[in-house]
Amino acid sequence: MGGVVLGIESTAHTLSFGMVDLDGNVSDSYSNLFRPKEGGIHPREAADHHCSQVSNLLNEVTKSEMFKENDVEAIAFSQGPGLGPCLRVGASVARTLSKSWNIPLIGVNHCIAHIEIGRNQTGCIDPVLLYVSGGNTQVIAKSRDKYRVMGETLDIGIGNMLDKFARNQGLPFPGGPKIEELAIEFTKVADYQNKLIDLPYGVQGMDMGFSGMLTAAQRRVLAGDSLESVSWSLQEHAFASCIEVAERAMAHTGKTELLLGGGVACNSRIRKMAEIMCEERGATAYWPEKKFCIDNGTMIAELGRLLHNVGFKTSLEDSSINPMLRTDHTKVIWD
Ligand code: AMP
Ligand code: MG
């Protein structure tokens, strides 16, 4: 029998389990997404959802071939950042499994897990990461023993911005994919490139901001511009802001790989912009499959595996969640 690390993700709307074997081969993730009936994600409701789904998902995982054919060597869980009540569900399940199966517990940094699953899946080595998700928007690059935040959103995450815009237009959560569809519709209009609606741009130094463009976009819909045209213009402004900061980070650090991660990295337009920018500077853009861009348990297992390989364990005393954990709080002690 070989060995696997089991990973548990529960930072926000997604409860997910996944496995990675000790050579780095990954399983699919076993996930369930909390979809609020109205409004944004209420942390307590999302946590209740996760509690109600734990045993179903664990059942599925334990029936999988990979689980049956391997020993579970360690349990990894998202220790932060995220919503406290949601994080607590994953941490409690992880502590319980670690105790009852008598295997090490490994608390991991969710943001860094997005990087490591991207490296695992794409083969890039030392990328600048453009991490664009619901709650997080960061440009990250490794220097010495830390993944450093070169720039980040000063207000809301880019995914939350897209979800809010969609919700205000009566579209269901998650709104990002629906906005992408509307934007693609607009690209079928003749001469669409010359019909960009001017919105506040989101770059401030190396940081970004999305609430100004959100408000302006909502006003343009109220003023009578089509939802398709505003969706396209909103994507152009938001994604260009991220790509500009990512490009500057590449110029500063001299790195020649760009890795996209986070749910918004599922979007075909941000991928295209990343590709164009990289091509123009002789660099390469990478992104994992969509199932590994969104939050998933497999990425937690992958970072758990890297830590397990170097003998890292989290003691029960140190296993408290940390909703405010920062990307640059975690020492990179693995290769
Ligand atoms: P995460 O927080 O990483 O799980 O990502 C969830 C976020 O990704 C939500 O805000 C979604 O609206 C967003 N998202 C998912 N697919 C797309 C897409 N195709 N285009 C834009 N945003 C997306
Ligand atoms: Mg995430």
Side-chain angles (χ1 to χ4, degrees), residues 184-193 195 226 228:
I184 290 171
E185 271 311 301
F186 189 67
T187 62
K188 296 174 187 160
V189 170
D191 200 27
Y192 73 93
Q193 280 115 328
K195 295 180 177 158
S226 76
E228 287 81 2

Side-chain angles (χ1 to χ4, degrees), residues 9 11-14 33 41 110 114 131-136 157-164 166 172-181 235 239 261-270 290 293-296 299:
E9 159 58 24
T11 54
H13 42 61
T14 302
L33 181 67
I41 304 170
H110 171 96
H114 275 289
Y131 172 33
V132 279
S133 74
N136 297 293
I158 186 170
N160 284 355
M161 184 276 286
L162 295 170
D163 294 339
K164 268 191 195 178
F173 177 84
K178 188 68 200 163
I179 293 184
E180 179 178 16
E181 277 173 33
Q235 279 199 171
F239 298 164
V264 180
C266 295
N267 188 289
S268 56
R269 181 59 182 151
I270 200 167
K290 287 187 181 184
C293 284
I294 56 172
D295 289 347
N296 65 87
M299 70 183 197

Side-chain angles (χ1 to χ4, degrees), residues 25-39:
N25 300 304
V26 302
S27 75
D28 278 346
S29 295
Y30 299 81
S31 307
N32 201 300
L33 181 67
F34 170 65
R35 290 171 198 274
K37 287 200 190 71
E38 57 177 336

